[in-house]
Amino acid sequence: MKPVNKPSPALAGLHSTWRKQPLSRDKADTLLLMAACLLVLLPHMLHLDWWTSAAGLGLLVWRGWLTLTGRRLPPSWVLVPVSLLMMAGVYASFRTFFGRDAGVAMLVLLLACKLLEMHAKRDLFVVLFLSFFLQMTSFFYSQTMGAAVLNVATVVLLLTAQLSFHYTGLVPPLWQRLKMGTLIMGLAVPLTVVAFLLVPRIQGPLWGLPSDANAGRSGLSDSMAPGNISDLALSDDIAFRVKFTGTAPPRSLMYWRGIILDEFDGKVWTHGSQKFPGPQSPQSPQARGQANPQASFSGKPVTQEIILEPSGQRWLFAMDIPEGAPVLEGLASTRNAGMELRASRPVSKRLRYQVTSYPGYVLQPDIGDSMREAMLDLPPGYNPKTLAYAKELRTRLGGDMQIVNAVLQMYRNEKFSYTLEPPLLGVNGIDDFLFTTRQGFCEHYASSFVVLMRAAGIPARVVTGYQGGALNVVDGFMEVRQSEAHAWAEVWQPDRGWLRVDPTAAVAPSRVSLYAPLRRQGISGLFSVGNNSTLSSLRMRWDALNNSWNQWVLNYNDTTQKDFLRSLGFSDVDWPNLILLLFVVGSVAIGIVALPLMLNRARLAPLDKVYFSLCQKMAKRGFARPPHEGPSAYAARLQAGLPAEAFAPAQKFLALYTAAKYGKNSLPEAAIVSRLKTLLAQCR
């Protein structure tokens, strides 16, 4: 026989107590409030420092333990040092108490601390209102439809907790309170929709955002070092969506041009010599390339409608090569000689624009001596093996394109591999990659190729952007994700201009010709959609739903509002008329909500109505009846305070009402009500 592990007497007694006795009213309400606060804090756990999340959750667990065990809350001499220590931690992490991230971290910790200081009803309302405010700050980080649904659920739970603390007598079951909280939330929906559609929209925000409001955006930057793009390849976030006018080009042509990197310090490529002109209209001849000696276009144009996600960068993307700068709402855009597109300000909100590209082009057939020298420049003292190999290729092959093909053949035939986890490289990183490790991502191949070309006397540069995309068959948009960030090379040839060369395609052709995202390692690989058709279909539907949410809700601006009003027959509505329309439609919405509530209001029976009339008459004489006082007790109190001649009709009234209300009476109700009204008239 195995020995049976019995709990200690203290634990057994505690378990028995919890099992036999249900939670008290105060404990149940407090735990419900804590559950609502936990739902408020959960979205912030994705972006807070680990210690802030751990401290917030730890304080919640502490409060829950105190509630379940019935222990007293900690005194001020314990809470004050804890709070000061956590504020010091916030300052140590952010070097400030201001800004988005520091402010949200403080609010999270203050909410958790306030739960340990709920001594009065006033503290309860502080916790509730602080929770509502902290919940709104989650939209600083995510405005997706999923975030909106979670916020609605959080509001319902907070309202339910607030309702629970307001009950004084018998408390309804939790599901009924949740139903009431949902109903209260639902009552606000009509007026919310009217306000969303009709409140005047202005260009720009109503207030300035903190300097770190756009921090944490993922996307390409204006520099490239080994590991930059491979880090992006682990992200499934959407960079932009594209819808083609007409037939979509093959995936092998979907090079989404972004940033030219042409300065190299031995390790990092940076954006250097390309200078931006003033804003150009895509309708101008120079912007369209019709009178621009730097570019000429041929073949069938490809028109794209692009929805660019916020990136915190100024770069815009278009398929190689854009005909002109797009027209942006509220922003100017430019296109430089290298066919890079750029907005006048960092992209902090979703942008929708249209651009036309030509897959056939001749770009900068004459670059001049100064630019040619810049495109051949290499830092001295780096990668001697690569330089020697390039000179050997020049001596052996002679022609530029023969050298290009030879290097591509080397990548293709020798033991080079395409991987997200390449070995670390030393000071001479290009030498290490070409002659030792031979494992890398697209930035390794593009960087090594351009260095080889420059060392061989061929002007070359790196271009970063995105390659490919996956069609969402639900809404017809091509989704280009951060995982499709890519780097390729351009080499310059006289009279032919800049030619795109993708050395990665020589090593991993599927990276360019097929939608074949790399298999992720570790935990993230367990949740990869892969080739599962059911999961892929669900993901497409969810992405399409999010796209609709982005277009019709998050991108509802001044222009969209005017188009909406115009579709309703209101053309050229100015602010005064729009406010008047808001008042009228808002009043109708309030009426629609209020009318059913008024019609469903409990009506008094004729017997009770005449009884309350007596109570009102006696209240004017100084004998107000409390809600809990019955007719018999009320009659006794009136007898003690009223003269005999004044009390006589009141006594008969209350006796008749009591018999009719609570006893058996054969008289019709109408006759009783008539008699009561006669007695009421005598009560003077």
Side-chain angles (χ1 to χ4, degrees), residues 227-241:
N228 284 15
I229 296 181
S230 57
D231 289 342
L232 276 182
L234 294 173
S235 171
D236 270 340
D237 294 342
I238 291 179
F240 54 90
R241 293 178 170 89

Side-chain angles (χ1 to χ4, degrees), residues 239-458:
F240 54 90
R241 293 178 170 89
V242 186
K243 179 171 281 189
F244 294 97
T245 302
T247 305
R251 192 179 191 276
S252 59
L253 294 180
M254 291 184 188
Y255 282 84
W256 306 99
R257 191 178 191 84
I259 310 165
I260 293 175
L261 307 176
D262 48 21
E263 291 187 355
F264 186 54
D265 63 1
K267 182 177 181 180
V268 179
W269 287 91
T270 55
H271 181 272
S273 63
Q274 299 296 322
K275 305 300 180 183
F276 284 91
Q280 298 177 353
S281 166
Q283 282 76 30
S284 66
Q286 183 182 6
R288 292 179 64 86
Q290 295 172 357
N292 185 0
Q294 296 294 325
S296 60
F297 304 110
S298 61
K300 186 178 180 180
V302 179
T303 302
Q304 315 125 60
E305 178 188 349
I306 295 179
I307 302 175
L308 180 65
E309 295 294 315
S311 63
Q313 303 286 340
R314 297 187 179 186
W315 310 105
L316 306 176
F317 298 92
M319 214 176 88
D320 256 352
I321 260 183
E323 181 188 25
V327 176
L328 305 179
E329 184 177 351
L331 290 175
S333 63
T334 56
R335 186 198 67 176
N336 68 351
M339 298 298 154
E340 297 170 294
L341 301 179
R342 192 181 190 188
S344 57
R345 295 195 305 271
V347 180
S348 58
K349 63 179 183 178
R350 199 169 283 100
L351 282 182
R352 187 171 190 153
Y353 57 91
Q354 192 174 80
V355 66
T356 300
S357 302
Y358 282 85
Y361 58 87
V362 176
L363 177 61
Q364 292 180 305
D366 183 10
I367 59 175
D369 293 339
S370 60
M371 187 173 181
R372 178 183 173 85
E373 291 177 4
M375 297 300 106
L376 292 172
D377 183 55
L378 289 172
Y382 287 92
N383 305 303
K385 293 182 181 179
T386 302
L387 300 183
Y389 179 62
K391 291 180 181 178
E392 188 268 328
L393 288 176
R394 173 61 70 182
T395 302
R396 177 163 53 89
L397 300 175
D400 290 353
M401 296 311 297
Q402 286 84 352
I403 296 175
V404 169
N405 292 328
V407 173
L408 294 178
Q409 196 71 15
M410 175 190 69
Y411 288 137
R412 188 177 296 112
N413 294 336
E414 299 192 24
K415 294 182 179 180
F416 285 89
S417 61
Y418 184 62
T419 177
L420 276 173
E421 299 177 349
L424 294 177
L425 303 176
V427 175
N428 297 308
I430 304 298
D431 280 358
D432 292 345
F433 171 69
L434 287 176
F435 303 106
T436 305
T437 65
R438 296 191 170 186
Q439 297 178 25
F441 201 59
C442 58
E443 66 259 42
H444 296 81
Y445 290 97
S447 179
S448 62
F449 181 84
V450 171
V451 170
L452 273 171
M453 293 301 104
R454 290 189 175 190
I458 304 173

Side-chain angles (χ1 to χ4, degrees), residues 94 263 383 545 569 575:
F94 301 100
E263 291 187 355
N383 305 303
L545 205 58
W575 271 48

Side-chain angles (χ1 to χ4, degrees), residues 93-282:
S93 298
F94 301 100
R95 298 299 174 185
T96 182
F97 288 122
F98 303 99
R100 181 193 65 175
D101 295 334
V104 170
M106 281 198 301
L107 287 174
V108 166
L109 296 174
L110 288 174
L111 175 60
C113 287
K114 191 61 183 176
L115 286 168
L116 291 165
E117 198 197 15
M118 290 174 53
H119 299 292
K121 204 167 187 178
R122 171 177 54 89
D123 299 319
L124 163 68
F125 288 114
V126 171
V127 170
L128 284 169
F129 295 144
L130 185 58
S131 298
F132 281 119
F133 185 81
L134 182 59
Q135 178 201 1
M136 290 190 296
T137 63
S138 65
F139 288 116
F140 283 148
Y141 302 93
S142 176
Q143 298 177 8
T144 63
M145 191 173 59
V149 171
L150 179 61
N151 273 268
V152 169
T154 304
V155 169
V156 169
L157 196 56
L158 285 171
L159 290 173
T160 303
Q162 186 174 1
L163 284 171
S164 300
F165 282 99
H166 277 81
Y167 284 104
T168 56
L170 185 64
V171 181
L174 178 60
W175 70 269
Q176 287 188 3
R177 284 175 280 158
L178 285 170
K179 183 179 178 181
M180 180 66 71
T182 306
L183 177 62
I184 295 174
M185 181 74 181
L187 292 176
V189 170
L191 189 59
T192 302
V193 172
V194 171
F196 173 78
L197 294 173
L198 297 181
V199 166
R201 304 279 168 152
I202 62 174
Q203 294 292 340
L206 292 174
W207 53 78
L209 291 175
S211 58
D212 60 349
N214 294 318
R217 306 281 192 186
S218 63
L220 293 172
S221 68
D222 56 0
S223 64
M224 185 187 79
N228 284 15
I229 296 181
S230 57
D231 289 342
L232 276 182
L234 294 173
S235 171
D236 270 340
D237 294 342
I238 291 179
F240 54 90
R241 293 178 170 89
V242 186
K243 179 171 281 189
F244 294 97
T245 302
T247 305
R251 192 179 191 276
S252 59
L253 294 180
M254 291 184 188
Y255 282 84
W256 306 99
R257 191 178 191 84
I259 310 165
I260 293 175
L261 307 176
D262 48 21
E263 291 187 355
F264 186 54
D265 63 1
K267 182 177 181 180
V268 179
W269 287 91
T270 55
H271 181 272
S273 63
Q274 299 296 322
K275 305 300 180 183
F276 284 91
Q280 298 177 353
S281 166

